[in-house]
Structure formats: structure tokens, C-alpha cells
Amino acid sequence: MSEKYFFLPFERFVQSGRVAYVSHGPHKNKLVAIVDVIDQNRVLVDGPASKIPRGQMSLSDLHLTKFRLKFPFTGSTRVVRKAWAAEKIDEQWKATVWAQKVAAKEKRAALSDYDRFKLRRAKRVRNAIRTEAFYRLKKAAKKAKANKAAAKK
Amino acid sequence: MAPTENTDTKSVKKVGKPRNYDLGNGVYRFSRSRTYHKKALWKFQDKKTPKTVVPKKPVTVEKTVGGEKNGKTRTVLVKKRKSNYPTADAIKKRPAKKCFKHHTRYLRSSILPGTILILLAGPHKGKRVVFLKSLKSGLLLVNGPFLINGCPLRRIHQNYVIATSTRIDLSDVKIPQTLNDEYFKRVHEKRAKKEEGDIFATKKVVYKPSEQKKIDQKLVDKLVIDAIKKNSEKKTLFAYLATMFGLRSSQYPHRMKF
């Protein structure tokens, strides 16, 4: 983004080729590509990689991602699939913090009562270690400060 | 065009049909005498089947009547007359009321022997306990174990319980047969006879486990604890059973998995 010389208030647009995350509905948690804009609220989407048939979707169900595919306006499913594979969107998406958060949320929701208990215990152990390390550093810092002050005198 | 009839008779299976047929206007192909010969009815013309003698059933029955001046017996018709009109309504048999003990019991499929349950009611609510078996009354027999979380051998209804997916292998454990509904019945001491003054002053009864229950508790505790010890995560499991269940902020039990 170093080539950008002017200020852009928005960076993600509803445009053909824009990859979007489905936040609601039967295809929740999947990625689609916007193919065409139908009107203010609806777009034509296609998700060959996530097995979402080409069709309309409400923009209120979509969250725009930073990815944009390069394919001609209203490209067919085959074109979308090819562009998707060429850009390696699935791999790129997995690497994003967003996708990792989604995965973490899913994992957390799938935890059983016993798993939650084990997690709580593990956290307690981790926090104890961290607190101890923090105090050790604090103590060392205090000592260093005192030594410095003594040397000055 | 009308569908052509299948002329190939060999392929078509023969279906029994009356040989006589209507030619139209109620005229039949074969006359009565023709059918008589066709059917060879002459064969059966003079055949006689031996008559079976049906023993006559008695029409009346003699019944004894109580009372000295009643002549002792009456002859009564077996089949009541058509004009008979009973003077009193017959006592109808009511459809049997289903007693609680006859009810069919359903146990949630998620509750199996060894399943760790979260109690939601009673003095031990919030505790995680081990399910042992379901009793005839439909209640669940659970055990803390008492040594770990202080929940003794108890009965509880499955509605007051959350079944977790965690399970302890109790396949080798044999729970004593004596632990049944009768075992857990509360013993009420009979009230003392009326004495002056303390008709309404009832003493508060404090529950005290009997010696037998203490022995059984120890036995079952040992069985369950030994079963847990066989698990590879026994240390965490013991800690799990020892801690109470609780919800934190933005935790909704209906959305959670157990």
C-alpha cells in the first residue's frame, strides 16, 4: 500500500470480485465472491470453493474481506473458481487473524463441560507462571535502579 | 387408436374366469343345462353329507337362591328374553387407572452408567456427580463420590440434572442390588400417642444416616473411585468432580455443550 499517495476513507467496496464472509444464514462462516451488484442491498454471489450455489444474497449478511479477485464483470462460476484457485484465497483467508478468530470461536463453542474445566485449570497455571515472571522482572528492575542510585552517590 | 389386444396367449398367464359370459342384453352364451354338464354338476347330484348331530344346549339353568322362604332354587333362562329390562344398571368395569408404578420409564439417551451429571436441584445442586443406574421408580441413582465432593448415594429425577459428555467406565463395577427404591425410603417414626400439651409441638426430625448406609456408602465410593483411578486423566477427573459447576458472564446453558 506504499503506492497510495492520497487518503482513502474506505478500502473495501461492494464490487464484482470482492470476496465476502457470510455472517448469517444457512451458509454461515463461508466465503463467497461478489459477481454482480443487484441493488443497494443485494448482490449476486458465487462460492464455488465453499460450495455455495450462485445466487443473490443480502448485503446485511455479508462482511467484506480485504481480498479481491480479478475476473470480468458477471463472470461465470467456472471463471470465479479459476480466479479463486489462482489467488489461493482459501490459504490466504486461513492466514488472516479474522479466520483464526472464527476458528477459535468455533472451537470454544464445541468444548464440553470437562474441557472448559481443563481450560480453566490450564489458564490458572499459565497465569501463575506469568505473574511470577512479572514480579521477578519487577524485582530485578528495582534492584538495578537502586544500584544505579548507589553508584551515582 | 385403441390399444391392440395381446394375441400372444402363451406369454399371458391364465387367470380364472367364468366360462359363461354375457353376449349382450342379458343373454348368456351357455344355457343352464349346458353349464350343468360343463360343471359336471351331475357328479354331486345325489351326494349326501352325513348330518352332524349337535347336542342340544340347555335353555334354562337352575340357580340357588338365598333366603329361607325363597324356595332355594330358581330356573333361569340362559338367554335372557328380548323384553328383559334390568331393574338396576350393571356395574361397569372402569378403565383401569394407570398407577405411577405402571408408568413406562424413559431415560435420556445421554445418561448412561458412569456419566458425570451436574445436579441442578436439592441440597447438592451445582455438584458434579457420577450416575450409577436408574431405579424402578425412574429416578437416577447417583454418587458424588461422597469422599470427593460430599454428595452421598442419592436418588434424583433426570429433569433436575445436566448430563455431560464425560463418562467413567463403570462396565466392570457391580453396584449392590440392595440399593433400590425401598432402600432410600424415608423411615417415619410413628407419632407418640396423644399427650397433654404437645399436640402441635412437633419435634424437628434431623436426618441421620444409618450404620448400614454408612457401610454401603464406603463400599460404593470405593468402587467408583477405583473405576476413576483406571482412567488416564484420573487426577483431573478427581479435581473435576470436586469442583462445583457454575456459569460465568455471557455463558448461556442452552447454547453450551456439556
Coordinates of all heavy atoms in Angstrom, one line a residue, chain A residues 12-98:
Chain A
R12 N -12.5 -1.2 1.3 CA -13.3 -2.4 0.8 C -14.6 -1.9 0.2 O -15.4 -1.3 0.9 CB -13.5 -3.4 1.9 CG -12.2 -3.9 2.5 CD -12.4 -4.6 3.8 NE -11.2 -4.9 4.4 CZ -11.0 -5.6 5.5 NH1 -12.0 -6.1 6.1 NH2 -9.8 -5.8 6.0
F13 N -14.8 -2.3 -1.0 CA -16.0 -1.9 -1.7 C -16.9 -3.1 -2.1 O -16.3 -4.2 -2.4 CB -15.7 -1.1 -2.9 CG -15.0 0.2 -2.6 CD1 -13.6 0.3 -2.7 CD2 -15.7 1.3 -2.0 CE1 -12.9 1.4 -2.4 CE2 -15.0 2.4 -1.6 CZ -13.6 2.5 -1.8
V14 N -18.2 -2.8 -2.3 CA -19.0 -3.9 -2.8 C -18.8 -3.8 -4.3 O -19.3 -2.9 -5.0 CB -20.5 -3.6 -2.5 CG1 -21.4 -4.6 -3.2 CG2 -20.7 -3.6 -1.0
Q15 N -18.1 -4.7 -4.9 CA -17.7 -4.7 -6.3 C -17.5 -6.1 -6.8 O -17.3 -7.0 -5.9 CB -16.5 -3.9 -6.5 CG -15.3 -4.4 -5.7 CD -14.2 -3.4 -5.5 OE1 -13.5 -3.5 -4.5 NE2 -14.0 -2.5 -6.4
S16 N -17.6 -6.3 -8.0 CA -17.5 -7.7 -8.5 C -16.1 -8.1 -8.3 O -15.1 -7.4 -8.6 CB -17.9 -7.7 -10.0 OG -16.9 -7.2 -10.8
G17 N -16.0 -9.3 -7.8 CA -14.6 -9.8 -7.5 C -14.3 -9.7 -6.0 O -13.4 -10.4 -5.5
R18 N -15.1 -8.9 -5.2 CA -14.8 -8.8 -3.8 C -15.2 -10.1 -3.1 O -16.3 -10.6 -3.3 CB -15.7 -7.6 -3.3 CG -15.6 -7.4 -1.8 CD -14.2 -7.0 -1.3 NE -13.8 -5.7 -1.8 CZ -12.5 -5.3 -1.7 NH1 -11.6 -6.0 -1.0 NH2 -12.2 -4.1 -2.2
V19 N -14.3 -10.6 -2.3 CA -14.5 -11.8 -1.5 C -15.2 -11.3 -0.2 O -14.7 -10.4 0.4 CB -13.2 -12.6 -1.2 CG1 -13.5 -13.8 -0.3 CG2 -12.6 -13.0 -2.5
A20 N -16.3 -12.0 0.1 CA -17.0 -11.6 1.3 C -17.3 -12.8 2.2 O -17.3 -14.0 1.8 CB -18.4 -11.0 1.0
Y21 N -17.4 -12.6 3.5 CA -17.6 -13.6 4.5 C -19.1 -13.6 4.9 O -19.7 -12.5 5.2 CB -16.8 -13.3 5.7 CG -17.0 -14.1 6.9 CD1 -16.4 -15.4 7.0 CD2 -17.8 -13.7 8.0 CE1 -16.6 -16.2 8.2 CE2 -18.0 -14.4 9.1 CZ -17.4 -15.7 9.2 OH -17.6 -16.5 10.3
V22 N -19.7 -14.8 4.8 CA -21.1 -14.9 5.1 C -21.3 -15.0 6.6 O -20.8 -15.9 7.2 CB -21.8 -16.1 4.4 CG1 -23.3 -16.1 4.6 CG2 -21.5 -16.1 2.9
S23 N -22.0 -14.0 7.2 CA -22.1 -13.9 8.6 C -23.4 -14.5 9.1 O -23.6 -14.7 10.3 CB -22.0 -12.5 9.1 OG -23.1 -11.7 8.6
H24 N -24.3 -14.7 8.2 CA -25.7 -15.1 8.7 C -26.3 -16.0 7.6 O -26.0 -15.9 6.5 CB -26.5 -13.8 8.8 CG -27.7 -14.0 9.6 ND1 -29.0 -14.0 9.0 CD2 -27.9 -14.1 10.9 CE1 -29.9 -14.2 10.0 NE2 -29.3 -14.2 11.1
G25 N -27.3 -16.8 8.1 CA -28.0 -17.6 7.1 C -27.4 -19.1 7.0 O -26.5 -19.4 7.8
P26 N -28.0 -19.8 6.1 CA -27.6 -21.2 6.0 C -26.1 -21.4 5.6 O -25.6 -22.5 5.9 CB -28.5 -21.8 5.0 CG -29.1 -20.7 4.2 CD -29.1 -19.5 5.2
H27 N -25.5 -20.5 5.0 CA -24.2 -20.6 4.5 C -23.2 -19.9 5.5 O -22.1 -19.4 5.0 CB -24.0 -20.1 3.1 CG -24.8 -20.9 2.1 ND1 -24.6 -22.2 2.0 CD2 -25.8 -20.5 1.3 CE1 -25.4 -22.7 1.0 NE2 -26.2 -21.7 0.6
K28 N -23.6 -19.7 6.7 CA -22.8 -19.0 7.7 C -21.3 -19.5 7.7 O -21.1 -20.7 7.5 CB -23.4 -19.2 9.1 CG -23.1 -18.1 10.1 CD -23.9 -18.4 11.3 CE -23.4 -17.5 12.4 NZ -24.0 -17.8 13.7
N29 N -20.4 -18.6 8.0 CA -19.0 -18.9 8.1 C -18.3 -19.4 6.9 O -17.4 -20.2 6.9 CB -18.8 -20.0 9.2 CG -19.3 -19.5 10.6 OD1 -19.6 -18.4 10.7 ND2 -19.3 -20.4 11.5
K30 N -18.9 -19.0 5.7 CA -18.2 -19.4 4.4 C -17.9 -18.2 3.6 O -18.4 -17.1 3.9 CB -19.2 -20.3 3.6 CG -19.4 -21.7 4.2 CD -20.3 -22.4 3.3 CE -20.7 -23.7 3.9 NZ -21.9 -24.3 3.2
L31 N -17.0 -18.4 2.6 CA -16.6 -17.3 1.8 C -17.3 -17.3 0.5 O -17.5 -18.4 -0.1 CB -15.1 -17.3 1.6 CG -14.2 -17.0 2.8 CD1 -12.8 -17.0 2.4 CD2 -14.5 -15.6 3.4
V32 N -17.7 -16.1 0.0 CA -18.2 -16.0 -1.4 C -17.5 -14.9 -2.1 O -16.9 -14.0 -1.5 CB -19.7 -15.7 -1.4 CG1 -20.5 -16.9 -0.9 CG2 -20.1 -14.5 -0.5
A33 N -17.7 -14.9 -3.4 CA -17.2 -13.8 -4.2 C -18.4 -13.1 -4.8 O -19.4 -13.7 -5.3 CB -16.3 -14.3 -5.4
I34 N -18.3 -11.7 -4.7 CA -19.4 -11.0 -5.3 C -19.2 -10.9 -6.8 O -18.1 -10.6 -7.3 CB -19.5 -9.5 -4.7 CG1 -19.8 -9.6 -3.2 CG2 -20.4 -8.7 -5.5 CD1 -19.7 -8.3 -2.5
V35 N -20.3 -11.2 -7.5 CA -20.2 -11.3 -9.0 C -20.8 -10.1 -9.6 O -20.3 -9.5 -10.6 CB -20.9 -12.6 -9.5 CG1 -20.8 -12.6 -11.0 CG2 -20.2 -13.8 -8.9
D36 N -21.9 -9.7 -9.1 CA -22.6 -8.5 -9.6 C -23.4 -7.9 -8.5 O -23.8 -8.5 -7.5 CB -23.6 -9.0 -10.7 CG -24.1 -7.9 -11.6 OD1 -23.7 -6.7 -11.3 OD2 -24.9 -8.2 -12.6
V37 N -23.7 -6.6 -8.7 CA -24.5 -5.9 -7.7 C -25.9 -5.7 -8.2 O -26.1 -5.2 -9.4 CB -23.9 -4.5 -7.4 CG1 -24.7 -3.7 -6.4 CG2 -22.5 -4.6 -7.0
I38 N -26.9 -6.2 -7.5 CA -28.2 -6.2 -8.0 C -28.9 -4.8 -7.6 O -29.4 -4.2 -8.5 CB -29.1 -7.3 -7.4 CG1 -28.5 -8.7 -7.7 CG2 -30.5 -7.2 -7.8 CD1 -29.1 -9.9 -7.0
D39 N -28.8 -4.5 -6.4 CA -29.3 -3.1 -6.0 C -28.5 -2.7 -4.7 O -27.5 -3.3 -4.4 CB -30.8 -3.1 -5.8 CG -31.3 -4.0 -4.7 OD1 -30.5 -4.4 -3.9 OD2 -32.5 -4.4 -4.8
Q40 N -29.1 -1.7 -4.1 CA -28.4 -1.2 -2.9 C -28.2 -2.3 -1.8 O -27.2 -2.2 -1.1 CB -29.4 -0.1 -2.2 CG -29.3 1.2 -2.9 CD -28.3 2.1 -2.2 OE1 -28.5 2.3 -1.1 NE2 -27.4 2.6 -3.0
N41 N -29.1 -3.2 -1.7 CA -29.0 -4.2 -0.6 C -28.6 -5.6 -1.0 O -28.3 -6.4 -0.2 CB -30.3 -4.3 0.1 CG -30.8 -2.9 0.6 OD1 -30.0 -2.2 1.1 ND2 -32.1 -2.6 0.4
R42 N -28.7 -5.9 -2.3 CA -28.5 -7.3 -2.7 C -27.4 -7.4 -3.7 O -27.2 -6.4 -4.6 CB -29.8 -7.9 -3.3 CG -30.8 -8.1 -2.2 CD -32.1 -8.6 -2.9 NE -32.6 -7.6 -3.9 CZ -33.3 -8.0 -4.9 NH1 -33.6 -9.3 -5.1 NH2 -33.7 -7.1 -5.8
V43 N -26.7 -8.5 -3.7 CA -25.6 -8.7 -4.7 C -25.8 -10.2 -5.2 O -26.3 -11.0 -4.5 CB -24.2 -8.6 -4.1 CG1 -23.9 -7.1 -3.9 CG2 -24.1 -9.3 -2.8
L44 N -25.2 -10.4 -6.3 CA -25.2 -11.7 -6.9 C -23.8 -12.3 -6.4 O -22.8 -11.7 -6.7 CB -25.3 -11.7 -8.4 CG -25.2 -13.1 -9.1 CD1 -26.5 -13.9 -8.8 CD2 -25.1 -12.9 -10.6
V45 N -23.9 -13.5 -5.7 CA -22.7 -14.0 -5.2 C -22.5 -15.4 -5.8 O -23.4 -16.1 -6.3 CB -22.7 -14.1 -3.7 CG1 -22.7 -12.7 -3.1 CG2 -23.8 -15.0 -3.2
D46 N -21.3 -15.9 -5.7 CA -20.9 -17.3 -6.1 C -19.8 -17.8 -5.2 O -18.8 -17.0 -5.0 CB -20.5 -17.2 -7.6 CG -20.6 -18.6 -8.3 OD1 -20.8 -19.5 -7.5 OD2 -20.6 -18.6 -9.5
G47 N -19.9 -19.0 -4.7 CA -18.9 -19.5 -3.9 C -18.5 -20.9 -4.3 O -18.9 -21.9 -3.6
P48 N -17.9 -21.1 -5.4 CA -17.6 -22.5 -5.8 C -16.6 -23.2 -4.9 O -16.8 -24.4 -4.7 CB -16.9 -22.2 -7.2 CG -16.4 -20.8 -7.2 CD -17.4 -20.1 -6.3
A49 N -15.8 -22.5 -4.2 CA -14.8 -23.1 -3.3 C -15.5 -23.6 -2.0 O -15.1 -24.6 -1.5 CB -13.7 -22.2 -3.0
S50 N -16.5 -22.9 -1.6 CA -17.2 -23.2 -0.3 C -18.6 -23.9 -0.6 O -19.4 -23.9 0.2 CB -17.3 -22.0 0.6 OG -17.6 -20.9 -0.2
K51 N -18.8 -24.3 -1.9 CA -20.0 -25.0 -2.3 C -21.2 -24.2 -2.1 O -22.2 -24.7 -1.5 CB -20.1 -26.3 -1.6 CG -19.1 -27.3 -2.2 CD -19.2 -28.6 -1.5 CE -18.1 -29.6 -2.1 NZ -18.0 -30.8 -1.4
I52 N -21.2 -22.9 -2.3 CA -22.4 -22.1 -2.3 C -22.8 -21.8 -3.7 O -22.1 -21.3 -4.5 CB -22.1 -20.7 -1.5 CG1 -21.7 -21.0 -0.1 CG2 -23.3 -19.8 -1.6 CD1 -21.3 -19.8 0.7
P53 N -24.0 -22.2 -4.0 CA -24.5 -22.0 -5.4 C -24.7 -20.5 -5.7 O -24.9 -19.7 -4.8 CB -25.9 -22.7 -5.4 CG -26.3 -22.8 -4.0 CD -25.1 -22.9 -3.2
R54 N -24.5 -20.2 -7.0 CA -24.6 -18.8 -7.4 C -26.0 -18.4 -7.1 O -27.0 -19.0 -7.5 CB -24.3 -18.8 -8.9 CG -24.1 -17.5 -9.5 CD -23.8 -17.7 -11.0 NE -23.6 -16.5 -11.7 CZ -22.4 -16.0 -12.0 NH1 -21.3 -16.7 -11.6 NH2 -22.3 -14.9 -12.7
G55 N -26.1 -17.2 -6.5 CA -27.4 -16.7 -6.2 C -27.3 -15.3 -5.5 O -26.2 -14.8 -5.3
Q56 N -28.5 -14.8 -5.2 CA -28.5 -13.5 -4.6 C -28.3 -13.6 -3.1 O -28.7 -14.6 -2.5 CB -29.7 -12.7 -4.9 CG -31.0 -13.4 -4.3 CD -32.1 -12.4 -4.2 OE1 -32.0 -11.2 -4.5 NE2 -33.2 -12.8 -3.7
M57 N -27.7 -12.6 -2.5 CA -27.6 -12.6 -1.0 C -27.7 -11.1 -0.6 O -27.3 -10.2 -1.3 CB -26.2 -13.1 -0.6 CG -26.2 -14.4 0.1 SD -24.6 -15.0 0.6 CE -24.9 -16.7 0.5
S58 N -28.2 -11.0 0.6 CA -28.4 -9.7 1.2 C -27.1 -9.2 1.7 O -26.3 -9.9 2.2 CB -29.4 -9.7 2.3 OG -29.4 -8.4 2.9
L59 N -26.8 -7.9 1.5 CA -25.5 -7.3 1.9 C -25.4 -7.3 3.4 O -24.3 -7.2 4.0 CB -25.3 -5.9 1.3 CG -24.7 -5.9 -0.1 CD1 -24.7 -4.5 -0.6 CD2 -23.3 -6.4 0.0
S60 N -26.6 -7.3 4.1 CA -26.5 -7.3 5.5 C -26.0 -8.7 6.1 O -25.6 -8.8 7.2 CB -27.9 -7.0 6.1 OG -28.8 -7.9 5.6
D61 N -26.0 -9.7 5.2 CA -25.5 -11.0 5.6 C -24.0 -11.2 5.3 O -23.4 -12.2 5.6 CB -26.3 -12.1 4.9 CG -27.7 -12.2 5.3 OD1 -28.0 -11.5 6.3 OD2 -28.5 -12.9 4.7
L62 N -23.5 -10.2 4.6 CA -22.1 -10.3 4.1 C -21.2 -9.3 4.8 O -21.5 -8.2 5.1 CB -22.0 -10.1 2.6 CG -22.8 -11.0 1.7 CD1 -22.8 -10.6 0.3 CD2 -22.2 -12.4 1.8
H63 N -20.0 -9.8 5.1 CA -18.9 -8.9 5.6 C -17.8 -8.9 4.6 O -17.3 -10.0 4.2 CB -18.4 -9.4 7.0 CG -19.4 -9.3 8.1 ND1 -19.1 -9.6 9.4 CD2 -20.7 -8.8 8.1 CE1 -20.2 -9.4 10.1 NE2 -21.1 -8.9 9.4
L64 N -17.4 -7.7 4.2 CA -16.4 -7.7 3.1 C -15.0 -8.0 3.6 O -14.7 -7.5 4.7 CB -16.4 -6.3 2.5 CG -17.8 -5.8 1.9 CD1 -17.7 -4.4 1.4 CD2 -18.2 -6.7 0.8
T65 N -14.2 -8.7 2.9 CA -12.9 -9.0 3.3 C -11.9 -8.1 2.4 O -12.4 -7.4 1.5 CB -12.5 -10.5 3.0 OG1 -12.5 -10.7 1.6 CG2 -13.5 -11.4 3.7
K66 N -10.7 -8.2 2.8 CA -9.7 -7.4 2.0 C -9.4 -8.0 0.7 O -8.7 -7.4 -0.1 CB -8.4 -7.2 2.9 CG -7.7 -8.5 3.1 CD -6.5 -8.3 4.0 CE -5.8 -9.6 4.3 NZ -4.6 -9.4 5.2
F67 N -9.8 -9.2 0.4 CA -9.4 -9.9 -0.9 C -10.3 -9.4 -2.0 O -11.5 -9.3 -1.8 CB -9.5 -11.4 -0.7 CG -8.7 -11.9 0.4 CD1 -9.3 -12.6 1.5 CD2 -7.3 -11.7 0.5 CE1 -8.5 -13.0 2.6 CE2 -6.6 -12.2 1.5 CZ -7.2 -12.8 2.6
R68 N -9.7 -9.3 -3.2 CA -10.5 -9.0 -4.4 C -10.0 -9.9 -5.5 O -8.7 -9.9 -5.7 CB -10.4 -7.6 -4.7 CG -11.5 -7.2 -5.7 CD -11.3 -5.9 -6.4 NE -12.3 -5.8 -7.5 CZ -12.3 -4.9 -8.4 NH1 -11.3 -3.9 -8.3 NH2 -13.1 -4.9 -9.4
L69 N -10.9 -10.6 -6.1 CA -10.5 -11.4 -7.3 C -10.5 -10.6 -8.5 O -11.3 -9.7 -8.7 CB -11.4 -12.6 -7.4 CG -11.4 -13.6 -6.2 CD1 -12.5 -14.6 -6.5 CD2 -10.1 -14.3 -6.2
K70 N -9.7 -11.0 -9.5 CA -9.7 -10.3 -10.8 C -10.4 -11.2 -11.8 O -9.9 -12.3 -12.2 CB -8.3 -10.1 -11.2 CG -7.6 -9.0 -10.5 CD -7.6 -7.7 -11.3 CE -7.3 -6.5 -10.4 NZ -5.8 -6.4 -10.1
F71 N -11.6 -10.9 -12.1 CA -12.3 -11.6 -13.1 C -13.3 -10.7 -13.8 O -13.8 -9.7 -13.1 CB -13.0 -12.9 -12.7 CG -14.1 -12.8 -11.6 CD1 -15.3 -12.3 -11.9 CD2 -13.8 -13.1 -10.3 CE1 -16.3 -12.2 -10.9 CE2 -14.7 -13.0 -9.3 CZ -16.0 -12.5 -9.6
P72 N -13.7 -10.9 -15.0 CA -14.6 -10.0 -15.7 C -15.9 -9.9 -15.0 O -16.4 -10.9 -14.4 CB -14.7 -10.5 -17.1 CG -14.1 -11.9 -17.1 CD -13.2 -11.9 -15.9
F73 N -16.5 -8.8 -15.1 CA -17.8 -8.5 -14.5 C -18.9 -9.5 -14.9 O -18.9 -10.0 -16.1 CB -18.3 -7.1 -15.1 CG -19.6 -6.6 -14.7 CD1 -19.8 -6.3 -13.3 CD2 -20.6 -6.5 -15.6 CE1 -21.1 -5.9 -13.0 CE2 -21.8 -6.0 -15.2 CZ -22.1 -5.7 -13.9
T74 N -19.6 -10.0 -13.9 CA -20.6 -11.1 -14.1 C -19.9 -12.4 -14.7 O -20.5 -13.0 -15.5 CB -21.8 -10.8 -14.9 OG1 -21.4 -10.5 -16.2 CG2 -22.6 -9.6 -14.3
G75 N -18.7 -12.7 -14.2 CA -18.1 -13.9 -14.7 C -18.8 -15.2 -14.2 O -19.5 -15.2 -13.2
S76 N -18.7 -16.2 -15.0 CA -19.4 -17.4 -14.7 C -18.8 -18.2 -13.5 O -17.7 -17.8 -13.1 CB -19.5 -18.4 -15.9 OG -18.2 -18.8 -16.2
T77 N -19.4 -19.2 -13.1 CA -18.9 -19.9 -11.9 C -17.5 -20.5 -12.2 O -16.6 -20.5 -11.4 CB -19.9 -21.1 -11.6 OG1 -21.2 -20.6 -11.4 CG2 -19.4 -21.8 -10.3
R78 N -17.3 -20.9 -13.4 CA -16.0 -21.5 -13.8 C -14.9 -20.4 -13.7 O -13.9 -20.7 -13.3 CB -16.2 -22.0 -15.3 CG -15.0 -22.9 -15.7 CD -15.3 -23.4 -17.1 NE -15.4 -22.2 -18.1 CZ -14.4 -21.8 -18.8 NH1 -13.2 -22.3 -18.7 NH2 -14.6 -20.7 -19.6
V79 N -15.3 -19.2 -14.2 CA -14.3 -18.1 -14.1 C -14.0 -17.8 -12.7 O -12.8 -17.6 -12.3 CB -14.9 -16.9 -14.9 CG1 -14.1 -15.7 -14.7 CG2 -15.1 -17.2 -16.3
V80 N -15.0 -17.8 -11.9 CA -14.8 -17.5 -10.4 C -13.9 -18.5 -9.8 O -13.0 -18.2 -9.0 CB -16.2 -17.4 -9.7 CG1 -16.0 -17.1 -8.2 CG2 -17.0 -16.2 -10.3
R81 N -14.2 -19.8 -10.1 CA -13.5 -20.9 -9.5 C -12.0 -20.8 -9.9 O -11.1 -20.9 -9.1 CB -14.0 -22.2 -10.0 CG -13.5 -23.4 -9.2 CD -13.9 -24.7 -9.8 NE -15.3 -24.9 -9.8 CZ -16.0 -25.1 -10.9 NH1 -15.4 -25.1 -12.1 NH2 -17.3 -25.3 -10.8
K82 N -11.8 -20.4 -11.1 CA -10.4 -20.3 -11.6 C -9.6 -19.2 -10.9 O -8.5 -19.4 -10.5 CB -10.4 -20.1 -13.1 CG -10.4 -21.4 -13.9 CD -10.1 -21.2 -15.4 CE -9.9 -22.5 -16.1 NZ -9.7 -22.3 -17.5
A83 N -10.3 -18.1 -10.9 CA -9.7 -16.9 -10.3 C -9.4 -17.2 -8.8 O -8.4 -16.8 -8.2 CB -10.6 -15.7 -10.4
W84 N -10.4 -17.9 -8.1 CA -10.2 -18.2 -6.7 C -9.0 -19.1 -6.5 O -8.2 -18.8 -5.5 CB -11.5 -19.0 -6.3 CG -11.8 -19.1 -4.8 CD1 -11.1 -19.8 -3.9 CD2 -12.7 -18.4 -4.1 NE1 -11.5 -19.7 -2.7 CE2 -12.6 -18.8 -2.7 CE3 -13.8 -17.5 -4.4 CZ2 -13.4 -18.3 -1.7 CZ3 -14.6 -17.0 -3.4 CH2 -14.4 -17.4 -2.0
A85 N -8.9 -20.1 -7.3 CA -7.7 -21.0 -7.2 C -6.4 -20.3 -7.5 O -5.4 -20.5 -6.8 CB -7.9 -22.2 -8.1
A86 N -6.4 -19.4 -8.5 CA -5.2 -18.7 -8.9 C -4.7 -17.8 -7.8 O -3.5 -17.6 -7.5 CB -5.5 -17.9 -10.1
E87 N -5.7 -17.2 -7.1 CA -5.3 -16.2 -6.0 C -5.0 -17.0 -4.7 O -4.6 -16.4 -3.7 CB -6.4 -15.2 -5.8 CG -6.6 -14.2 -6.9 CD -5.7 -13.0 -6.6 OE1 -5.7 -12.5 -5.4 OE2 -5.0 -12.5 -7.5
K88 N -5.4 -18.3 -4.6 CA -5.2 -19.1 -3.4 C -5.9 -18.4 -2.2 O -5.4 -18.2 -1.2 CB -3.8 -19.3 -3.1 CG -3.1 -20.2 -4.1 CD -1.7 -20.4 -3.7 CE -1.0 -21.3 -4.8 NZ 0.4 -21.3 -4.7
I89 N -7.2 -18.0 -2.5 CA -8.0 -17.3 -1.5 C -8.1 -18.1 -0.2 O -8.0 -17.6 0.9 CB -9.4 -16.9 -2.0 CG1 -9.2 -15.9 -3.1 CG2 -10.3 -16.4 -0.9 CD1 -8.7 -14.5 -2.7
D90 N -8.4 -19.4 -0.3 CA -8.6 -20.2 0.9 C -7.4 -20.2 1.8 O -7.5 -20.1 3.0 CB -8.9 -21.7 0.4 CG -10.3 -21.8 -0.1 OD1 -11.2 -21.0 0.3 OD2 -10.6 -22.7 -0.9
E91 N -6.2 -20.3 1.2 CA -5.0 -20.3 2.0 C -4.8 -19.0 2.6 O -4.4 -18.8 3.8 CB -3.8 -20.7 1.1 CG -3.6 -22.1 0.9 CD -2.5 -22.4 -0.1 OE1 -1.5 -21.8 0.0 OE2 -2.7 -23.3 -1.0
Q92 N -5.0 -17.9 1.8 CA -4.8 -16.6 2.3 C -5.7 -16.2 3.5 O -5.4 -15.6 4.4 CB -5.0 -15.6 1.2 CG -3.9 -15.5 0.2 CD -4.0 -14.2 -0.6 OE1 -3.9 -13.1 -0.1 NE2 -4.2 -14.4 -1.9
W93 N -7.0 -16.7 3.3 CA -8.0 -16.5 4.3 C -7.6 -17.2 5.6 O -7.8 -16.6 6.7 CB -9.4 -17.0 3.8 CG -10.4 -17.1 4.9 CD1 -11.0 -18.2 5.4 CD2 -11.1 -16.0 5.5 NE1 -11.9 -17.9 6.4 CE2 -12.0 -16.5 6.5 CE3 -11.0 -14.6 5.4 CZ2 -12.8 -15.7 7.3 CZ3 -11.8 -13.8 6.3 CH2 -12.7 -14.4 7.2
K94 N -7.1 -18.4 5.5 CA -6.8 -19.1 6.7 C -5.7 -18.4 7.5 O -5.6 -18.5 8.7 CB -6.3 -20.5 6.4 CG -7.4 -21.5 6.5 CD -7.0 -22.9 6.1 CE -8.1 -23.8 5.7 NZ -7.7 -24.9 4.9
A95 N -4.9 -17.7 6.8 CA -3.7 -17.0 7.5 C -4.2 -15.7 8.2 O -3.4 -15.2 9.0 CB -2.7 -16.7 6.4
T96 N -5.3 -15.2 7.9 CA -5.8 -13.9 8.5 C -6.1 -14.1 9.9 O -6.5 -15.2 10.4 CB -7.0 -13.3 7.7 OG1 -8.0 -14.3 7.8 CG2 -6.7 -13.0 6.3
V97 N -6.0 -13.0 10.7 CA -6.4 -13.1 12.1 C -7.9 -13.3 12.2 O -8.4 -14.0 13.1 CB -6.0 -11.7 12.7 CG1 -6.4 -11.7 14.2 CG2 -4.5 -11.5 12.6
W98 N -8.6 -12.7 11.3 CA -10.1 -12.9 11.3 C -10.5 -14.3 11.3 O -11.3 -14.8 12.1 CB -10.6 -12.1 10.1 CG -12.1 -12.1 9.9 CD1 -13.1 -12.7 10.7 CD2 -12.9 -11.4 8.9 NE1 -14.3 -12.4 10.3 CE2 -14.2 -11.6 9.2 CE3 -12.5 -10.6 7.8 CZ2 -15.2 -11.0 8.4 CZ3 -13.5 -10.0 7.0 CH2 -14.8 -10.3 7.3

